[in-house]
Amino acid sequence: MTREEIIRPEHLVYKKPELLNDVNMHYCPGCSHGVIHKLVAEVIAEMGMEEKTIGISPVGCAVFAYKYIDIDWQEAAHGRAPALATACKRLWPDRLVFSYQGDGDIACIGTGEAIHALNRGENITMIFVNNAIYGMTGGQMAPTTLVGMKTVTCPYGRDPQLHGYPLKLTEIAATLEGTAYVTRQSVHNVAAIRRAKKAIRHAFENSMEGKGSNLIEFVSTCSSGWKLSPVKANQWMEEHMFEYYHVGDLKDSQRK
């Protein structure tokens, strides 16, 4: 049987979105970034916004989003993606503008930029990937690292008396008047992936309809930083991360 006979439309269960570039992904096995990229690419294509989308990527693992999703991209300094996204959306209001940021970026050095952009009600979407660790730079403690969780900079576990408590940025965002949609999702199984895609579509539509700012947090894994296999990392996330970072919508101005 030839390749053409095998790859028929009726056989395609997991088709690669056309907006994803045909390159090998560098992410570690089990990393959540690849799945989130696919969902973002699918939603942009389904909205017909391929030529009118601007993504903002700063630093860390999130920066490489520009390699994989075939849209216009701007690269921001560490933590400054919301400010750049604000400028792009105000200059080109007909564009779909979103930032793609890790927890160390948006919840640490960029907290001020994120909070104020959300509070102003900028018509942008911030995608926030929270794996509770600095994945690219060696596995240091992040603002979102759980109490008791070990990293290379807190080898005995995060101690709230010494390091403070994990930052719940999404809960803070839900209290701000400028936010239209604030949600926390995951992509650890099929049901979660389907819910996550709906959340991305909802946030992007809000952005285009001028309803205010949107924040989507993805509770995610970092197999390398956590020193776990992909399967065990998913299990650890379900057992520990979800207990502190509850998944679901925190605010939706469309559903009062």
Short mmCIF file of all heavy atoms in Angstrom, two decimals, residues 157-211:
data_model
loop_
_atom_site.label_atom_id
_atom_site.label_comp_id
_atom_site.label_asym_id
_atom_site.label_seq_id
_atom_site.Cartn_x
_atom_site.Cartn_y
_atom_site.Cartn_z
N GLY A 157 12.67 22.62 48.86
CA GLY A 157 11.26 22.93 48.65
C GLY A 157 10.95 24.39 48.95
O GLY A 157 11.61 25.02 49.78
N ARG A 158 9.99 24.93 48.25
CA ARG A 158 9.62 26.32 48.47
C ARG A 158 9.07 26.52 49.88
O ARG A 158 8.12 25.84 50.30
CB ARG A 158 8.57 26.77 47.45
CG ARG A 158 8.14 28.23 47.64
CD ARG A 158 7.22 28.71 46.55
NE ARG A 158 7.03 30.16 46.65
CZ ARG A 158 6.76 30.95 45.63
NH1 ARG A 158 6.65 30.45 44.42
NH2 ARG A 158 6.60 32.25 45.82
N ASP A 159 9.65 27.44 50.60
CA ASP A 159 9.27 27.76 51.97
C ASP A 159 8.59 29.13 51.98
O ASP A 159 9.24 30.14 51.69
CB ASP A 159 10.51 27.77 52.87
CG ASP A 159 10.18 28.10 54.32
OD1 ASP A 159 9.01 28.38 54.64
OD2 ASP A 159 11.12 28.08 55.14
N PRO A 160 7.30 29.21 52.30
CA PRO A 160 6.61 30.51 52.25
C PRO A 160 7.19 31.54 53.21
O PRO A 160 7.09 32.74 52.96
CB PRO A 160 5.17 30.15 52.60
CG PRO A 160 5.24 28.83 53.29
CD PRO A 160 6.40 28.12 52.68
N GLN A 161 7.80 31.08 54.29
CA GLN A 161 8.40 32.03 55.22
C GLN A 161 9.66 32.68 54.63
O GLN A 161 10.04 33.79 55.01
CB GLN A 161 8.76 31.32 56.53
CG GLN A 161 7.58 30.69 57.24
CD GLN A 161 6.49 31.69 57.55
OE1 GLN A 161 6.76 32.80 58.02
NE2 GLN A 161 5.24 31.33 57.28
N LEU A 162 10.27 31.99 53.70
CA LEU A 162 11.49 32.48 53.07
C LEU A 162 11.22 33.05 51.67
O LEU A 162 11.74 34.10 51.31
CB LEU A 162 12.53 31.35 52.97
CG LEU A 162 13.87 31.68 52.31
CD1 LEU A 162 14.60 32.76 53.11
CD2 LEU A 162 14.72 30.42 52.19
N HIS A 163 10.40 32.36 50.91
CA HIS A 163 10.20 32.70 49.49
C HIS A 163 8.84 33.32 49.20
O HIS A 163 8.60 33.76 48.07
CB HIS A 163 10.34 31.44 48.63
CG HIS A 163 11.59 30.66 48.88
ND1 HIS A 163 11.58 29.40 49.45
CD2 HIS A 163 12.89 30.98 48.66
CE1 HIS A 163 12.82 28.96 49.55
NE2 HIS A 163 13.63 29.88 49.09
N GLY A 164 7.94 33.37 50.16
CA GLY A 164 6.60 33.84 49.88
C GLY A 164 5.74 32.73 49.29
O GLY A 164 6.18 31.60 49.13
N TYR A 165 4.53 33.09 48.94
CA TYR A 165 3.57 32.10 48.43
C TYR A 165 3.49 32.15 46.90
O TYR A 165 3.80 33.16 46.29
CB TYR A 165 2.19 32.37 49.03
CG TYR A 165 2.12 32.10 50.51
CD1 TYR A 165 2.39 33.11 51.42
CD2 TYR A 165 1.81 30.82 50.99
CE1 TYR A 165 2.33 32.87 52.79
CE2 TYR A 165 1.75 30.57 52.35
CZ TYR A 165 2.02 31.59 53.25
OH TYR A 165 1.98 31.34 54.59
N PRO A 166 3.06 31.06 46.29
CA PRO A 166 2.88 31.04 44.83
C PRO A 166 1.87 32.11 44.41
O PRO A 166 0.83 32.29 45.06
CB PRO A 166 2.34 29.63 44.55
CG PRO A 166 2.74 28.82 45.74
CD PRO A 166 2.75 29.75 46.90
N LEU A 167 2.18 32.81 43.34
CA LEU A 167 1.35 33.93 42.88
C LEU A 167 0.22 33.42 41.99
O LEU A 167 0.46 32.74 41.00
CB LEU A 167 2.20 34.93 42.10
CG LEU A 167 1.51 36.20 41.62
CD1 LEU A 167 1.07 37.05 42.82
CD2 LEU A 167 2.42 37.00 40.71
N LYS A 168 -1.00 33.78 42.36
CA LYS A 168 -2.17 33.43 41.55
C LYS A 168 -2.54 34.65 40.68
O LYS A 168 -3.48 35.39 40.99
CB LYS A 168 -3.33 33.02 42.44
CG LYS A 168 -3.12 31.68 43.14
CD LYS A 168 -4.37 31.26 43.90
CE LYS A 168 -4.22 29.87 44.48
NZ LYS A 168 -5.44 29.44 45.22
N LEU A 169 -1.81 34.83 39.63
CA LEU A 169 -2.02 35.99 38.76
C LEU A 169 -3.42 36.00 38.15
O LEU A 169 -4.04 37.06 37.99
CB LEU A 169 -0.96 36.03 37.66
CG LEU A 169 -1.05 37.19 36.68
CD1 LEU A 169 -0.77 38.52 37.39
CD2 LEU A 169 -0.09 37.00 35.51
N THR A 170 -3.91 34.83 37.82
CA THR A 170 -5.20 34.74 37.16
C THR A 170 -6.33 35.20 38.08
O THR A 170 -7.27 35.88 37.65
CB THR A 170 -5.44 33.32 36.64
OG1 THR A 170 -4.36 32.97 35.77
CG2 THR A 170 -6.73 33.19 35.86
N GLU A 171 -6.23 34.84 39.36
CA GLU A 171 -7.23 35.31 40.32
C GLU A 171 -7.19 36.83 40.46
O GLU A 171 -8.23 37.49 40.60
CB GLU A 171 -7.01 34.65 41.68
CG GLU A 171 -7.63 33.27 41.84
CD GLU A 171 -6.84 32.16 41.18
OE1 GLU A 171 -5.81 32.46 40.53
OE2 GLU A 171 -7.25 30.99 41.28
N ILE A 172 -5.99 37.38 40.43
CA ILE A 172 -5.85 38.84 40.50
C ILE A 172 -6.51 39.48 39.28
O ILE A 172 -7.26 40.46 39.38
CB ILE A 172 -4.38 39.24 40.59
CG1 ILE A 172 -3.76 38.72 41.90
CG2 ILE A 172 -4.22 40.76 40.49
CD1 ILE A 172 -2.25 38.90 41.98
N ALA A 173 -6.24 38.91 38.10
CA ALA A 173 -6.80 39.46 36.86
C ALA A 173 -8.32 39.45 36.86
O ALA A 173 -8.96 40.36 36.31
CB ALA A 173 -6.27 38.67 35.67
N ALA A 174 -8.91 38.45 37.50
CA ALA A 174 -10.37 38.34 37.51
C ALA A 174 -11.02 39.46 38.30
O ALA A 174 -12.22 39.73 38.12
CB ALA A 174 -10.78 36.99 38.09
N THR A 175 -10.27 40.12 39.17
CA THR A 175 -10.83 41.21 39.97
C THR A 175 -10.76 42.56 39.26
O THR A 175 -11.34 43.54 39.74
CB THR A 175 -10.09 41.34 41.32
OG1 THR A 175 -8.75 41.80 41.09
CG2 THR A 175 -10.06 40.02 42.06
N LEU A 176 -10.07 42.63 38.15
CA LEU A 176 -9.84 43.90 37.47
C LEU A 176 -11.01 44.26 36.56
O LEU A 176 -11.53 43.40 35.83
CB LEU A 176 -8.54 43.83 36.65
CG LEU A 176 -7.29 43.46 37.45
CD1 LEU A 176 -6.08 43.34 36.52
CD2 LEU A 176 -7.01 44.49 38.55
N GLU A 177 -11.40 45.50 36.58
CA GLU A 177 -12.57 45.93 35.80
C GLU A 177 -12.34 45.85 34.29
O GLU A 177 -13.29 45.71 33.52
CB GLU A 177 -12.96 47.35 36.20
CG GLU A 177 -13.50 47.46 37.62
CD GLU A 177 -14.07 48.82 37.93
OE1 GLU A 177 -14.49 49.52 36.99
OE2 GLU A 177 -14.08 49.19 39.11
N GLY A 178 -11.09 45.93 33.85
CA GLY A 178 -10.82 45.93 32.42
C GLY A 178 -10.87 44.56 31.77
O GLY A 178 -10.87 44.47 30.54
N THR A 179 -10.90 43.49 32.56
CA THR A 179 -10.86 42.15 31.97
C THR A 179 -12.26 41.69 31.56
O THR A 179 -13.23 41.86 32.29
CB THR A 179 -10.27 41.12 32.96
OG1 THR A 179 -10.95 41.21 34.22
CG2 THR A 179 -8.80 41.37 33.16
N ALA A 180 -12.33 41.11 30.37
CA ALA A 180 -13.59 40.57 29.86
C ALA A 180 -13.70 39.07 30.12
O ALA A 180 -14.76 38.57 30.47
CB ALA A 180 -13.70 40.84 28.36
N TYR A 181 -12.57 38.38 29.96
CA TYR A 181 -12.57 36.91 30.10
C TYR A 181 -11.27 36.48 30.74
O TYR A 181 -10.19 36.79 30.25
CB TYR A 181 -12.76 36.26 28.74
CG TYR A 181 -12.83 34.75 28.75
CD1 TYR A 181 -13.67 34.07 29.61
CD2 TYR A 181 -12.05 34.00 27.87
CE1 TYR A 181 -13.74 32.69 29.61
CE2 TYR A 181 -12.12 32.61 27.85
CZ TYR A 181 -12.97 31.96 28.73
OH TYR A 181 -13.04 30.60 28.72
N VAL A 182 -11.39 35.77 31.84
CA VAL A 182 -10.23 35.25 32.57
C VAL A 182 -10.49 33.78 32.86
O VAL A 182 -11.51 33.42 33.48
CB VAL A 182 -10.00 36.01 33.89
CG1 VAL A 182 -8.79 35.44 34.64
CG2 VAL A 182 -9.80 37.50 33.63
N THR A 183 -9.59 32.93 32.43
CA THR A 183 -9.82 31.50 32.58
C THR A 183 -8.51 30.76 32.82
O THR A 183 -7.43 31.25 32.46
CB THR A 183 -10.51 30.93 31.33
OG1 THR A 183 -10.90 29.56 31.56
CG2 THR A 183 -9.61 30.99 30.11
N ARG A 184 -8.63 29.60 33.44
CA ARG A 184 -7.46 28.73 33.63
C ARG A 184 -7.79 27.38 33.02
O ARG A 184 -8.80 26.77 33.36
CB ARG A 184 -7.14 28.59 35.12
CG ARG A 184 -5.90 27.74 35.39
CD ARG A 184 -5.62 27.61 36.88
NE ARG A 184 -5.05 28.82 37.44
CZ ARG A 184 -5.57 29.49 38.46
NH1 ARG A 184 -6.73 29.10 38.99
NH2 ARG A 184 -4.99 30.58 38.93
N GLN A 185 -6.94 26.93 32.11
CA GLN A 185 -7.18 25.70 31.37
C GLN A 185 -5.96 24.79 31.46
O GLN A 185 -4.95 25.13 32.08
CB GLN A 185 -7.51 26.01 29.91
CG GLN A 185 -8.73 26.89 29.70
CD GLN A 185 -10.03 26.20 30.03
OE1 GLN A 185 -10.16 24.97 29.87
NE2 GLN A 185 -11.01 26.96 30.50
N SER A 186 -6.06 23.64 30.82
CA SER A 186 -4.94 22.70 30.70
C SER A 186 -5.10 21.94 29.39
O SER A 186 -6.14 22.05 28.73
CB SER A 186 -4.90 21.72 31.88
OG SER A 186 -6.04 20.86 31.83
N VAL A 187 -4.08 21.17 29.04
CA VAL A 187 -4.15 20.38 27.80
C VAL A 187 -3.66 18.96 28.05
O VAL A 187 -3.03 18.34 27.20
CB VAL A 187 -3.34 21.04 26.65
CG1 VAL A 187 -4.00 22.33 26.19
CG2 VAL A 187 -1.90 21.32 27.08
N HIS A 188 -3.96 18.43 29.23
CA HIS A 188 -3.39 17.14 29.62
C HIS A 188 -4.18 15.94 29.12
O HIS A 188 -3.70 14.81 29.20
CB HIS A 188 -3.26 17.07 31.15
CG HIS A 188 -4.58 17.07 31.87
ND1 HIS A 188 -5.43 18.15 31.87
CD2 HIS A 188 -5.19 16.11 32.62
CE1 HIS A 188 -6.49 17.87 32.59
NE2 HIS A 188 -6.38 16.64 33.04
N ASN A 189 -5.40 16.15 28.63
CA ASN A 189 -6.15 15.06 28.02
C ASN A 189 -7.08 15.63 26.96
O ASN A 189 -7.17 16.86 26.78
CB ASN A 189 -6.91 14.24 29.07
CG ASN A 189 -7.91 15.07 29.88
OD1 ASN A 189 -8.51 16.01 29.36
ND2 ASN A 189 -8.08 14.73 31.15
N VAL A 190 -7.78 14.76 26.26
CA VAL A 190 -8.60 15.19 25.12
C VAL A 190 -9.71 16.15 25.55
O VAL A 190 -9.95 17.17 24.90
CB VAL A 190 -9.20 13.97 24.38
CG1 VAL A 190 -10.17 14.43 23.30
CG2 VAL A 190 -8.08 13.12 23.77
N ALA A 191 -10.39 15.83 26.64
CA ALA A 191 -11.47 16.70 27.10
C ALA A 191 -10.95 18.09 27.45
O ALA A 191 -11.57 19.11 27.12
CB ALA A 191 -12.17 16.06 28.31
N ALA A 192 -9.80 18.13 28.10
CA ALA A 192 -9.20 19.41 28.47
C ALA A 192 -8.79 20.20 27.24
O ALA A 192 -8.95 21.43 27.18
CB ALA A 192 -7.99 19.18 29.38
N ILE A 193 -8.26 19.51 26.24
CA ILE A 193 -7.85 20.17 25.00
C ILE A 193 -9.05 20.81 24.31
O ILE A 193 -8.98 21.94 23.80
CB ILE A 193 -7.14 19.17 24.07
CG1 ILE A 193 -5.77 18.79 24.65
CG2 ILE A 193 -6.99 19.73 22.67
CD1 ILE A 193 -5.09 17.64 23.94
N ARG A 194 -10.17 20.12 24.30
CA ARG A 194 -11.38 20.67 23.67
C ARG A 194 -11.85 21.92 24.41
O ARG A 194 -12.24 22.92 23.79
CB ARG A 194 -12.46 19.61 23.64
CG ARG A 194 -12.21 18.51 22.62
CD ARG A 194 -13.24 17.42 22.70
NE ARG A 194 -13.03 16.41 21.66
CZ ARG A 194 -13.63 15.22 21.63
NH1 ARG A 194 -14.48 14.89 22.58
NH2 ARG A 194 -13.38 14.36 20.66
N ARG A 195 -11.83 21.87 25.73
CA ARG A 195 -12.23 23.05 26.51
C ARG A 195 -11.26 24.21 26.29
O ARG A 195 -11.68 25.38 26.20
CB ARG A 195 -12.30 22.70 27.99
CG ARG A 195 -13.45 21.78 28.37
CD ARG A 195 -13.62 21.69 29.88
NE ARG A 195 -12.49 21.05 30.52
CZ ARG A 195 -12.39 19.75 30.76
NH1 ARG A 195 -13.37 18.93 30.40
NH2 ARG A 195 -11.33 19.25 31.37
N ALA A 196 -9.98 23.87 26.19
CA ALA A 196 -8.97 24.91 25.99
C ALA A 196 -9.15 25.61 24.65
O ALA A 196 -9.01 26.84 24.55
CB ALA A 196 -7.57 24.29 26.07
N LYS A 197 -9.48 24.85 23.63
CA LYS A 197 -9.69 25.46 22.31
C LYS A 197 -10.87 26.42 22.34
O LYS A 197 -10.82 27.52 21.76
CB LYS A 197 -9.90 24.38 21.25
CG LYS A 197 -10.04 24.94 19.85
CD LYS A 197 -10.13 23.83 18.80
CE LYS A 197 -10.29 24.42 17.41
NZ LYS A 197 -10.37 23.37 16.37
N LYS A 198 -11.95 26.04 23.00
CA LYS A 198 -13.10 26.93 23.12
C LYS A 198 -12.73 28.21 23.86
O LYS A 198 -13.21 29.30 23.53
CB LYS A 198 -14.24 26.20 23.84
CG LYS A 198 -14.89 25.09 23.03
CD LYS A 198 -15.99 24.41 23.83
CE LYS A 198 -16.63 23.29 23.01
NZ LYS A 198 -17.70 22.59 23.79
N ALA A 199 -11.88 28.08 24.88
CA ALA A 199 -11.46 29.24 25.65
C ALA A 199 -10.65 30.20 24.78
O ALA A 199 -10.84 31.42 24.84
CB ALA A 199 -10.64 28.80 26.86
N ILE A 200 -9.74 29.66 23.97
CA ILE A 200 -8.94 30.50 23.08
C ILE A 200 -9.84 31.23 22.08
O ILE A 200 -9.69 32.43 21.85
CB ILE A 200 -7.88 29.65 22.34
CG1 ILE A 200 -6.87 29.07 23.33
CG2 ILE A 200 -7.16 30.48 21.27
CD1 ILE A 200 -5.94 28.03 22.72
N ARG A 201 -10.78 30.51 21.50
CA ARG A 201 -11.70 31.13 20.54
C ARG A 201 -12.51 32.25 21.21
O ARG A 201 -12.68 33.34 20.64
CB ARG A 201 -12.63 30.05 19.97
CG ARG A 201 -13.68 30.56 18.97
CD ARG A 201 -13.02 31.00 17.67
NE ARG A 201 -13.99 31.52 16.72
CZ ARG A 201 -14.41 30.85 15.62
NH1 ARG A 201 -13.94 29.64 15.37
NH2 ARG A 201 -15.25 31.40 14.79
N HIS A 202 -13.00 32.00 22.39
CA HIS A 202 -13.80 32.99 23.11
C HIS A 202 -12.98 34.25 23.39
O HIS A 202 -13.45 35.37 23.20
CB HIS A 202 -14.33 32.38 24.40
CG HIS A 202 -15.31 33.24 25.13
ND1 HIS A 202 -16.29 33.98 24.50
CD2 HIS A 202 -15.47 33.48 26.46
CE1 HIS A 202 -17.01 34.63 25.40
NE2 HIS A 202 -16.52 34.36 26.61
N ALA A 203 -11.75 34.05 23.86
CA ALA A 203 -10.88 35.19 24.16
C ALA A 203 -10.55 35.98 22.90
O ALA A 203 -10.60 37.23 22.91
CB ALA A 203 -9.60 34.70 24.83
N PHE A 204 -10.22 35.30 21.83
CA PHE A 204 -9.88 35.97 20.57
C PHE A 204 -11.09 36.74 20.02
O PHE A 204 -10.94 37.86 19.51
CB PHE A 204 -9.38 34.97 19.54
CG PHE A 204 -7.96 34.52 19.76
CD1 PHE A 204 -7.21 34.96 20.84
CD2 PHE A 204 -7.35 33.62 18.88
CE1 PHE A 204 -5.90 34.54 21.05
CE2 PHE A 204 -6.04 33.20 19.07
CZ PHE A 204 -5.31 33.66 20.15
N GLU A 205 -12.26 36.17 20.13
CA GLU A 205 -13.46 36.87 19.66
C GLU A 205 -13.73 38.11 20.50
O GLU A 205 -14.11 39.16 19.97
CB GLU A 205 -14.66 35.92 19.68
CG GLU A 205 -14.61 34.86 18.58
CD GLU A 205 -15.76 33.87 18.65
OE1 GLU A 205 -16.43 33.83 19.71
OE2 GLU A 205 -15.97 33.14 17.68
N ASN A 206 -13.53 38.01 21.81
CA ASN A 206 -13.67 39.18 22.67
C ASN A 206 -12.72 40.29 22.23
O ASN A 206 -13.08 41.47 22.19
CB ASN A 206 -13.35 38.82 24.13
CG ASN A 206 -14.52 38.20 24.85
OD1 ASN A 206 -15.64 38.19 24.36
ND2 ASN A 206 -14.26 37.66 26.03
N SER A 207 -11.48 39.90 21.91
CA SER A 207 -10.49 40.89 21.48
C SER A 207 -10.94 41.62 20.22
O SER A 207 -10.82 42.84 20.12
CB SER A 207 -9.14 40.20 21.21
OG SER A 207 -8.63 39.61 22.38
N MET A 208 -11.46 40.87 19.27
CA MET A 208 -11.87 41.47 18.01
C MET A 208 -13.16 42.28 18.14
O MET A 208 -13.41 43.18 17.35
CB MET A 208 -12.05 40.38 16.95
CG MET A 208 -10.76 39.66 16.57
SD MET A 208 -9.43 40.83 16.12
CE MET A 208 -10.15 41.66 14.72
N GLU A 209 -13.97 41.96 19.14
CA GLU A 209 -15.23 42.68 19.33
C GLU A 209 -15.08 43.85 20.29
O GLU A 209 -16.08 44.51 20.61
CB GLU A 209 -16.29 41.70 19.83
CG GLU A 209 -16.68 40.65 18.79
CD GLU A 209 -17.51 39.51 19.37
OE1 GLU A 209 -17.92 39.62 20.55
OE2 GLU A 209 -17.73 38.52 18.65
N GLY A 210 -13.85 44.10 20.77
CA GLY A 210 -13.60 45.26 21.61
C GLY A 210 -14.20 45.18 23.00
O GLY A 210 -14.59 46.20 23.57
N LYS A 211 -14.24 43.98 23.56
CA LYS A 211 -14.90 43.79 24.85
C LYS A 211 -13.96 43.90 26.04
O LYS A 211 -14.40 43.80 27.19
CB LYS A 211 -15.61 42.44 24.86
CG LYS A 211 -16.77 42.39 23.87
CD LYS A 211 -17.47 41.06 23.88
CE LYS A 211 -18.66 41.08 22.91
NZ LYS A 211 -19.32 39.78 22.82
#
